Amino acid sequence: MGCTSSMPNKMYIVGKKKNKKRKLNIPEVVVFVPALSLPGETNLQRALRGLLPRHLVDRLSGLRSQIMILAEDTGGLAFNELQRALEEYLPVLIGLVNKEFSLDQIVDFKWKNLQDGRQEICIASSWFELISVVNMMAILSMSEANSLLIPKDGLDVAERTVSEDCKKDAIDLLIKASGYLDFCVQCILVQMPPDIKAKLPTNLQEEFLGAVSFQVLGQGTEMQLGLAVENQKATLSVKRRLACEQLKYFAQAHYFLSKCDMNNAQGKKQLLFLKWKYLEAKAAAYYYHGLILDKGKEPSCHITAVCCFLAADELLTDSKKANLSFCVASPVTRSPPVWGVMKHLYQKIPDVASKKSQTYGYLLAQEKALQVLPDLPDFSLSLRADDYILPEMDPAWNDEKWEAQVQTLKEHLNDSVDEQENDQ
C-alpha cells in the first residue's frame, strides 16, 4: 500500500529556551479518511418543548450529548464506543424525520468540522442531522480500517507485516463504510428539499459521498489483490481482473471528487491521494495484462507484452512522485512502508520490464509498428457496498399513553420567537 520510504514517526521543534523540544506527531495514512465532523451544541429542550413528552426530549438530548462528549474527548478515536452511541441515537432520531410528526424543520442542528478550525454549520433540518450521523458512522469505519493496518507500537520499520485477519477485517469495514455512504446518497439526500441540499457542506454532497464510496471500494479491492498474490491458487486472470477493477474504482472516485469544490487543503490532499492510488493501480493492471499476453505464441503477443511491462515500470516511477506530493501536501502525513501487493510489484515490475526488453529486443527493433500500448480489459465491478438499513423507530414514538400537549405548535413557535427576542 505504501510507496516511498516512510517519513519519521515524530519530528522535534527546538523552542526558544535551551533544550526545550516539542514533539510533533505526523499521522500515517493507509486509508485516506476525510475530515471528521462532530455534533455541536444544539438546544433540543427549547426547540422541542411542548411538542414532545419531556422524557423523549431528554433522551434525544442525552444521547446526542453522549456522542459529543465521546467525540470531543477522543478526537473521534473511540471507534467502538462512538459507533454504539450513534446506533443507540438513530432509532430515537428517526422520529424527527417521520412525516407523521411534522418535526423535520423544527430544530437547528449544529455540526462542526474537526480539521478546519471547527467552523460550525447550522441547518434547521432533521434530515441534515440524520445524514450527518450516518456519514459519521462511515468515517469511523474508515478510521478503524486505517488503524487496523498500522502497527500499534508506531515504530517505523522497513518491513511492514499485516496479518490476513487484519486485512480481511479492514476490507469488511471499508465495505460497511461504502454502504453507509451509498445510503446517504440513495435514501437521505433524495428526501431533502432543494433549499436544504443547497446548504449542505461539501462532505455531505452527492458527488463527494460517491467519490469516497468508490475510493474505499478501490482500497478494499487493492487488499483483495494482495491476498490473491499471497494465494498460490489464485490465477493470473484473477489478479489481472482485480487490478483492473481497482483502477476503475479509483478512476471513478477521482472523477466524482473533481466535480466538487475542493479548494481547501484537505480536498487538494484527497485528490493527490487518489492520483497516487490510480497510478499504482494502473501499473498493476498493465503488469498482469502483460503477463497474460506474454503467454501467447505470436511475436506480436511478446511485443505488446513488453509495451505493457515498460508502461507499468514508468507508471510505478510516476506513482512514487505522486506519493511524495501527497505526503508533503498540507496537512503533512507519513506514507507507510511498502507492503501488500505494492511490495510485490515494486520488486517484480522493474525486473520483468528489464528482462523482457532484453529478451525481445530484436523483435522490438524489427516490428516498431506493433509497439502500441493495448487497452486494458473492462471488467464489471465486483466488490459491492454492504446494504445498510436504518433501525426501527424507537417504540417511545408510538407510545399510546402520550398526553395531549399543553402547548399548540403555534404557541410553541410564538414562545420561541419571544425567547429569541429576550436573548437579544
Side-chain angles (χ1 to χ4, degrees):
M1 285 242 178
C3 200
T4 57
S5 58
S6 59
M7 299 167 66
N9 215 354
K10 295 177 181 177
M11 294 176 65
Y12 293 90
I13 296 179
V14 180
K16 292 182 179 180
K17 293 183 179 180
K18 191 175 180 180
N19 298 327
K20 182 84 173 180
K21 293 184 178 181
R22 176 166 59 89
K23 291 182 180 179
L24 206 166
N25 291 324
I26 300 179
E28 181 173 308
V29 172
V30 177
V31 175
F32 186 90
V33 183
L36 181 68
S37 292
L38 311 180
E41 291 287 348
T42 298
N43 195 331
L44 291 168
Q45 303 286 354
R46 173 185 292 183
L48 296 172
R49 190 179 66 189
L51 297 176
L52 294 177
R54 181 64 181 268
H55 70 87
L56 189 51
V57 178
D58 288 344
R59 192 164 174 212
L60 273 166
S61 182
L63 289 170
R64 196 175 193 277
S65 296
Q66 182 185 3
I67 295 167
M68 287 173 58
I69 293 169
L70 274 172
E72 289 281 2
D73 289 351
T74 66
L77 295 177
F79 308 126
N80 295 330
E81 293 85 350
L82 273 169
Q83 284 282 10
R84 281 195 294 268
L86 291 166
E87 289 168 1
E88 191 176 354
Y89 178 49
L90 273 175
V92 190
L93 171 63
I94 290 170
L96 291 179
V97 299
N98 191 311
K99 293 180 180 178
E100 179 183 350
F101 302 107
S102 302
L103 298 171
D104 174 29
Q105 298 186 28
I106 298 298
V107 183
D108 290 322
F109 285 105
K110 295 178 182 178
W111 283 75
K112 52 192 176 183
N113 191 293
L114 192 61
Q115 292 184 359
D116 66 357
R118 298 178 179 271
Q119 181 180 357
E120 269 193 346
I121 295 171
C122 179
I123 301 179
S125 170
S126 300
W127 288 108
F128 167 60
E129 176 78 350
L130 182 61
I131 197 173
S132 297
V133 168
V134 178
N135 182 64
M136 187 177 185
M137 293 167 71
I139 299 301
L140 290 173
S141 295
M142 294 172 66
S143 299
E144 187 176 358
N146 184 62
S147 178
L148 279 175
L149 301 172
I150 298 174
K152 299 298 182 290
D153 55 19
L155 294 177
D156 183 18
V157 292
E159 296 293 326
R160 169 67 52 87
T161 302
V162 179
S163 71
E164 183 175 326
D165 287 342
C166 279
K167 292 176 188 175
K168 290 180 177 179
D169 288 345
I171 292 171
D172 289 342
L173 285 165
L174 294 174
I175 293 173
K176 183 182 291 186
S178 182
Y180 292 138
L181 295 165
D182 282 2
F183 182 85
C184 288
V185 172
Q186 298 170 17
C187 301
I188 301 181
L189 283 178
V190 294
Q191 301 285 348
M192 290 184 176
D195 62 317
I196 297 297
K197 282 201 281 190
K199 297 177 184 177
L200 292 176
T202 300
N203 69 313
L204 295 179
Q205 291 173 6
E206 182 176 351
E207 291 81 4
F208 185 87
L209 295 170
V212 180
S213 180
F214 276 114
Q215 174 196 309
V216 295
L217 292 177
Q219 293 203 257
T221 305
E222 179 184 5
M223 280 183 275
Q224 286 185 330
L225 177 57
L227 291 171
V229 168
E230 296 169 4
N231 185 348
Q232 295 181 353
K233 295 181 180 180
T235 64
L236 274 179
S237 295
V238 168
K239 295 171 188 175
R240 180 180 65 173
R241 180 182 182 111
L242 288 170
C244 290
E245 288 184 31
Q246 173 194 350
L247 174 64
K248 201 170 177 179
Y249 281 121
F250 287 129
Q252 288 281 67
H254 193 277
Y255 169 74
F256 277 113
L257 199 63
S258 62
K259 295 171 68 177
C260 302
D261 179 14
M262 305 304 290
N263 290 324
N264 59 354
Q266 184 77 6
K268 291 177 181 178
K269 191 171 181 72
Q270 189 169 358
L271 283 168
L272 288 171
F273 176 82
L274 288 174
K275 180 181 178 182
W276 164 37
K277 302 311 293 182
Y278 174 84
L279 290 170
E280 283 190 342
K282 198 168 187 177
Y286 270 118
Y287 171 70
Y288 287 114
H289 190 46
L291 290 178
I292 289 177
L293 292 174
D294 199 40
K295 290 182 176 293
K297 296 181 180 179
E298 297 295 326
S300 60
C301 295
H302 301 306
I303 294 173
T304 308
V306 172
C307 290
C308 289
F309 297 138
L310 292 173
D313 193 32
E314 185 176 348
L315 286 162
L316 206 58
T317 301
D318 290 342
S319 76
K320 293 178 184 180
K321 297 174 183 176
N323 171 256
L324 180 60
S325 297
F326 164 72
C327 289
V328 300
S330 179
V332 177
T333 49
R334 284 192 312 123
S335 174
V338 182
W339 68 282
V341 64
M342 291 315 300
K343 180 179 179 180
H344 173 76
L345 295 179
Y346 268 61
Q347 296 168 350
K348 289 290 185 180
I349 290 177
D351 183 55
V352 171
S354 176
K355 288 180 179 178
K356 294 295 182 180
S357 295
Q358 293 174 13
T359 301
Y360 298 112
Y362 69 98
L363 285 175
L364 290 170
Q366 293 174 5
E367 305 289 348
K368 292 184 179 180
L370 297 177
Q371 295 181 32
V372 178
L373 190 63
D375 292 332
L376 291 167
D378 185 14
F379 297 106
S380 59
L381 299 174
S382 56
L383 192 62
R384 301 290 180 184
D386 274 352
D387 290 331
Y388 177 67
I389 301 174
L390 281 177
E392 293 291 329
M393 187 170 64
D394 192 282
W397 285 95
N398 298 317
D399 191 348
E400 295 179 358
K401 296 181 180 180
W402 279 21
E403 297 180 1
Q405 300 300 321
V406 177
Q407 292 177 295
T408 65
L409 177 58
K410 183 177 179 180
E411 291 170 333
H412 163 76
L413 294 175
N414 288 338
D415 283 350
S416 297
V417 172
D418 292 341
E419 287 178 357
Q420 291 174 5
E421 290 176 352
N422 292 333
D423 290 342
Q424 293 173 354

